[in-house]
Amino acid sequence: AASSVKWDVFTRYRKWVTSNPVAAAEMEAVVKWGSYILAGRLKHSTLLCEIVYSGSRLFEMFNDFIIKQTIPQLTTKEGNRLQVLLTVMEYVEVLVEVAAVQLWGEVGRWAVVSIIQLSKCIGRFLLLLRYKTPIVPSPPIKPLDRRAAINTKQERLMFATHGSAGPEAMQLPHSGRVMRTLAGSSPIHLRTFTPPQPPNNNENEPVISRFPSAKHMTAEAMHILRPICHLGSMYLFGQQSWAPWILSLGMDVTSLKLYNKSQLTAAEKAELAHRRINLIYYLMRSPAFHTVTHRRIKYFLTTIGNRIPFAQTVCQPLLDYIPEWQKIYAYTWS
């Protein structure tokens, strides 16, 4: 009886999420913002914040699977399972790191960080070599664009209602551009003029359409090995040495350079653009943070807090918590 009640509750929840994806996204955002509000306000707030934040990301991922109606089981394809495992690992790695610090101290923290990064490295190499994924995104399963999913669902419903002689869209193999087919066009008075979605656009399936070239394999391998090389050089030269910072930055820049003038899909180009933006995070990694960045951030926030009324209530908690954030997030590589 208890199991039937639980299944009934889950069925009703699944129906609600499927019918109200935007409302579900707003609920997830409320939970996620709760982690920011709790920061620095309670004892052991760091651990509590990470529990709330990691829970919100897993909650969002679970709802995405419900909306796409592709909840992965342990008996599904291996590539799918591996992507799910790597995504969950990225969502909870900071929580595990913070818990390790409180349980075992700094030694336990670095042991856990090394194990997580090594596990992620092995998983990403499996996606690259075994499942022929040209560029492994971070996280491997991206959060679902709920509004785009609604538009796609409405278009498919429209085609099912009014009939369609062929597929809605096709994706060009080299450029990745999605083009609407003539046979898949709806009547003029029913057209929404929204961009067509790629056919069989399932983010959970490994990309197996083409084998990466040797140049791309080298570029992606450098990107995957970067956290391990950074941790290893930190062990050899120390946390305040510039050698790990320069090594990992050099690997990042070289990896991006190797992808220049390559035929990439739209999703791959978006991932590379994301990686270029992430180069800014090197300013938050030691020793750049303690040598350059922290002093300038402190000066900026202090000036804003002194000159703008009521800004001190926001700037002072930021000043107090930024070193803690840097200590936690500077080595996650997610």
Side-chain angles (χ1 to χ4, degrees):
S3 61
S4 63
V5 171
K6 291 179 181 178
W7 179 252
D8 182 57
V9 171
F10 173 71
T11 302
R12 284 186 291 176
Y13 176 75
R14 182 171 60 182
K15 183 178 179 181
W16 179 82
V17 170
T18 306
S19 304
N20 305 276
V22 177
E26 293 172 353
M27 182 171 61
E28 296 155 7
V30 169
V31 177
K32 189 180 299 183
W33 275 100
S35 66
Y36 302 130
I37 295 172
L38 292 173
R41 287 176 168 80
L42 299 171
K43 187 179 180 181
H44 303 303
S45 63
T46 303
L47 180 60
L48 181 60
C49 289
E50 290 306 324
I51 291 174
V52 174
Y53 184 79
S54 299
S56 70
R57 299 305 302 271
L58 295 175
F59 184 41
E60 179 184 20
M61 182 180 175
F62 177 69
N63 287 341
D64 284 348
F65 282 131
I66 290 179
I67 293 169
K68 291 184 286 189
Q69 298 180 347
T70 55
I71 300 178
Q73 305 295 334
L74 293 178
T75 56
T76 56
K77 297 180 181 180
E78 294 181 16
N80 191 318
R81 295 206 308 268
L82 183 57
Q83 286 186 322
V84 172
L85 178 61
L86 287 173
T87 303
V88 171
M89 197 177 297
E90 289 202 8
Y91 287 166
V92 304
E93 62 178 325
V94 178
L95 171 61
V96 176
E97 177 187 339
V98 172
V101 171
Q102 297 197 6
L103 290 174
W104 304 302
E106 286 297 314
V107 176
R109 175 201 177 197
W110 288 112
V112 167
V113 169
S114 301
I115 292 171
I116 290 175
Q117 295 301 333
L118 183 61
S119 302
K120 288 167 61 178
C121 179
I122 294 172
R124 288 176 175 275
F125 266 116
L126 281 175
L127 287 177
L128 176 65
L129 300 175
R130 183 173 181 179
Y131 300 106
K132 313 299 186 294
T133 306
I135 295 180
V136 182
S138 179
I141 299 178
K142 296 289 187 181
L144 180 66
D145 187 343
R146 303 287 173 85
R147 297 188 185 278
I150 292 174
N151 293 335
T152 302
K153 185 176 180 180
Q154 289 175 345
E155 283 195 355
R156 290 177 179 174
L157 181 61
M158 185 187 303
F159 288 132
T161 304
H162 298 278
S164 176
E168 172 191 348
M170 61 175 292
Q171 187 168 17
L172 301 182
H174 294 292
S175 66
R177 176 173 294 181
V178 180
M179 301 184 66
R180 196 186 305 275
T181 62
L182 293 175
S185 298
S186 58
I188 295 177
H189 65 284
L190 294 175
R191 291 180 187 175
T192 60
F193 297 98
T194 55
Q197 297 298 316
N200 300 322
N201 186 23
N202 190 347
E203 297 178 26
N204 298 329
E205 296 297 332
V207 179
I208 56 174
S209 58
R210 56 190 171 88
F211 191 85
S213 65
K215 182 180 177 182
H216 286 185
M217 293 272 285
T218 303
E220 194 62 21
M222 292 183 71
H223 181 77
I224 292 172
L225 287 171
R226 178 185 49 120
I228 299 298
C229 294
H230 185 264
L231 288 172
S233 57
M234 280 180 60
Y235 178 77
L236 293 175
F237 301 105
Q239 294 186 38
Q240 297 305 318
S241 172
W242 282 94
W245 192 90
I246 294 172
L247 175 63
S248 56
L249 178 60
M251 294 179 72
D252 248 335
V253 173
T254 304
S255 173
L256 291 171
K257 285 288 185 182
L258 288 174
Y259 278 115
N260 282 350
K261 299 180 181 179
S262 301
Q263 293 291 335
L264 303 172
T265 65
E268 291 167 353
K269 290 178 182 178
E271 177 62 22
L272 291 182
H274 181 67
R275 291 181 184 181
R276 292 187 185 96
I277 294 173
N278 281 349
L279 293 177
I280 299 174
Y281 288 143
Y282 276 94
L283 295 175
M284 298 300 294
R285 293 194 172 99
S286 299
F289 175 78
H290 295 98
T291 307
V292 180
T293 314
H294 189 204
R295 185 170 65 251
R296 285 164 172 76
I297 292 176
K298 186 176 181 180
Y299 173 77
F300 174 76
L301 291 178
T302 303
T303 303
I304 293 296
N306 292 335
R307 296 185 179 182
I308 298 178
F310 307 109
Q312 190 73 24
T313 57
V314 176
C315 294
Q316 190 58 46
L318 284 175
L319 280 171
D320 296 338
Y321 212 71
I322 280 176
E324 187 70 21
W325 279 334
Q326 189 273 339
K327 186 178 179 181
I328 294 171
Y329 292 103
Y331 308 103
T332 58
W333 300 96
S334 298

